[in-house]
Amino acid sequence: MALALDAVVRNIRSLFTDSKFFWLLALLVLLGDAILSELIIHFISYTEIDWETYMVQVELYLKGERDYSKISGPTGPLVYPAGHVYIFRFLHDITDAGRNIRFAQHLYALLYIFSVALASAIYGKAGNIPNWLLLFLPLSKRLHSLYVLRLFNDCWSIVVAQAAILAFQNEMDDIGTLLFSAALSIKMSVLLYLPGLLVILVKRNGVLYTLRKMFNILGVQAMLAYPFLQKNSRAYINSAFDFSRAFLYKWTVNWRMVPEDTFLDQGWARGLLIGHLSVLILFGLTRWCKKDGGVWVVLDRAIRRPNLPAGVAPVTPDYVATTLFTSNLIGIIFARSLHYQFYSWYAQQTPFLIWRTRYPILVKLLLLGAIEYAWNVYPATYVSSSTLLGANLITLAGVWFATS
């Protein structure tokens, strides 16, 4: 009996710690999360927020409207790129014009499980990740809610972005670029990855290749948006890629420790933009090219040999994930406003980044708990916003020192 119990304990320990069993644990996590998602759908009521608006906007599109300034719904105008329209047209068609909410929830549950699978694949490809870290992927109450109870469009953009990251990890840069552009066509928040992506592409393929890929991204955006650009290009660009968009103070998750008049002030917005760019430059100058001899050495190679890789150190799958996740986190920290659905942008990335720090395990667990806590406080408070900012900054600082 004792020997059998000892064997069970060894097998369980191996499941959580031995890399040979990484995908076995991942499959168990996916299965458990699929069951949990179905239970949530069955026992917790759906909450209407933007789904009805998406459907009304699609109906205007189906009636022939192509002017973005004339496409609106109960909660506001259409403010997402063309890829969003095409995805929700498909959902409109297969959910009885959006009336079959339960079927839509099951579709989102499948999308959610696919996102967990992609996150697991990114973790596994990066390597040096303990199996048990996968157990944190299904633990977010807020993330389940965003997918299966509220049906936000952010969920689609992040899943396509995850597929792009996995392609970049596998050195499939052409496919990764197309997927990145597809994600960007759903929501412009995907641009937060762009600084890190530029570094990766220049180091791995050179300047000219990177420029071609940037033109490819623009080309895909133009192709998808062609009907709307042809009708009213200014309305489309101003709506789908509005960098000056102001959000209501009452809905923001971050910066609740700041007075409302400051939050709405353009000077505050400019300050956040300067902070965002400054931290990106700091990582670019001192971290992302460190193993290649420094950023100036990389830039010198890039200029002298534009057709050849500018980096010397291998662009590993771990480097790809860490750089893209860090670029995204920097943008989230300095975002003028974060709504609750924006948590999907990085919820499955925080365990990875926090594990990459050198903090004691207790601090890492506290950071994970603090971030999840802050995103589950509604409405956001001085304490929850301060906690979120502090946890995000401590995580970023930990990545900074870990890559020194």
Side-chain angles (χ1 to χ4, degrees):
M1 184 70 176
L3 289 176
L5 182 62
D6 185 56
V8 170
V9 171
R10 283 201 309 271
N11 289 333
I12 292 174
R13 183 184 297 116
S14 297
L15 181 65
F16 290 130
T17 59
D18 191 335
S19 60
K20 291 186 297 185
F21 299 101
F22 179 90
W23 274 108
L24 175 58
L25 182 60
L27 289 173
L28 293 174
V29 167
L30 290 171
L31 178 61
D33 212 357
I35 295 171
L36 175 60
S37 298
E38 286 300 314
L39 291 173
I40 291 171
I41 292 172
H42 184 74
F43 288 106
I44 302 178
S45 299
Y46 162 77
T47 303
E48 173 55 47
I49 298 181
D50 283 338
W51 175 262
E52 182 184 357
T53 293
Y54 298 158
M55 294 299 109
V56 171
Q57 292 169 348
V58 166
E59 286 170 3
L60 290 172
Y61 168 79
L62 290 173
K63 291 176 182 177
E65 185 59 69
R66 298 295 183 268
D67 187 339
Y68 253 53
S69 66
K70 298 178 181 178
I71 302 178
S72 188
T75 59
L78 178 56
V79 292
Y80 309 115
H84 160 88
V85 177
Y86 302 138
I87 285 175
F88 283 90
R89 175 188 176 169
F90 170 73
L91 294 173
H92 178 278
D93 291 344
I94 65 173
T95 60
D96 188 22
R99 288 184 287 270
N100 193 341
I101 297 294
R102 183 54 61 92
F103 182 52
Q105 287 182 279
H106 288 301
L107 289 175
Y108 266 80
L110 288 174
L111 181 69
Y112 169 72
I113 295 304
F114 188 44
S115 80
V116 177
L118 286 171
S120 300
I122 291 168
Y123 282 33
K125 187 66 179 178
N128 196 25
I129 292 288
N131 299 4
W132 56 262
L133 199 65
L134 297 176
L135 298 176
F136 288 94
L137 292 177
L139 294 184
S140 174
K141 174 185 174 182
R142 176 61 67 185
L143 194 60
H144 283 94
S145 173
L146 297 178
Y147 275 85
V148 301
L149 297 180
R150 286 162 174 80
L151 312 182
F152 283 113
N153 69 334
D154 304 73
C155 305
W156 295 91
S157 66
I158 188 59
V159 167
V160 181
Q162 286 176 306
I165 293 167
L166 187 59
F168 288 125
Q169 284 184 302
N170 285 281
E171 300 185 28
M172 302 164 65
D173 293 345
D174 292 342
I175 294 174
T177 302
L178 288 175
L179 289 168
F180 176 86
S181 190
L184 180 59
S185 78
I186 303 169
K187 197 152 189 178
M188 74 170 186
S189 56
V190 176
L191 284 172
L192 296 181
Y193 294 104
L194 187 59
L197 179 58
L198 289 172
V199 173
I200 290 167
L201 292 180
V202 169
K203 286 180 60 175
R204 188 148 65 190
N205 301 293
V207 170
L208 292 182
Y209 177 91
T210 303
L211 288 174
R212 287 196 299 271
K213 292 303 144 186
M214 294 305 104
F215 281 116
N216 288 347
I217 290 171
L218 289 173
V220 170
Q221 300 307 308
M223 179 184 68
L224 293 173
Y226 179 75
F228 307 105
L229 292 171
Q230 187 180 41
K231 182 67 176 181
N232 188 340
S233 59
R234 178 173 295 181
Y236 177 80
I237 294 170
N238 288 342
S239 297
F241 296 96
D242 182 7
F243 293 96
S244 62
R245 188 180 305 151
F247 295 97
L248 294 176
Y249 183 71
K250 70 176 182 177
W251 294 117
T252 192
V253 180
N254 61 341
W255 307 124
R256 289 305 287 258
M257 73 290 286
V258 174
E260 185 172 3
D261 55 345
T262 301
F263 177 85
L264 298 173
D265 186 71
Q266 287 300 312
W268 173 255
R270 287 191 291 270
L272 290 174
L273 178 60
I274 291 170
H276 183 188
L277 294 175
S278 298
V279 175
L280 282 174
I281 291 170
L282 199 59
F283 267 85
L285 289 176
T286 65
R287 290 297 182 266
W288 289 339
C289 298
K290 188 174 181 64
K291 292 184 178 180
D292 302 280
V295 66
W296 304 115
V297 175
V298 171
L299 289 174
D300 179 63
R301 291 195 199 101
I303 294 170
R304 287 190 297 104
R305 306 182 305 172
N307 279 315
L308 297 175
V312 173
V315 180
T316 64
D318 177 46
Y319 177 88
V320 169
T322 304
T323 302
L324 291 176
F325 289 174
T326 303
S327 181
N328 186 43
L329 177 61
I330 293 168
I332 288 169
I333 288 172
F334 289 97
R336 186 176 181 182
S337 178
L338 294 173
H339 288 188
Y340 286 93
Q341 63 266 35
F342 296 178
Y343 187 35
S344 62
W345 297 0
Y346 80 129
Q348 294 167 331
Q349 300 174 10
T350 51
F352 182 98
L353 286 177
I354 289 172
W355 183 256
R356 283 292 180 252
T357 69
R358 297 175 181 172
Y359 297 134
I361 186 66
L362 179 60
V363 174
K364 293 178 180 181
L365 295 176
L366 288 173
L367 285 173
L368 286 169
I371 291 172
E372 179 68 18
Y373 153 78
W375 284 99
N376 279 282
V377 175
Y378 175 80
T381 64
Y382 181 99
V383 172
S384 67
S385 285
S386 300
T387 300
L388 178 62
L389 177 62
N392 284 339
L393 286 173
I394 291 170
T395 299
L396 184 64
V399 175
W400 166 272
F401 288 112
T403 54
S404 65

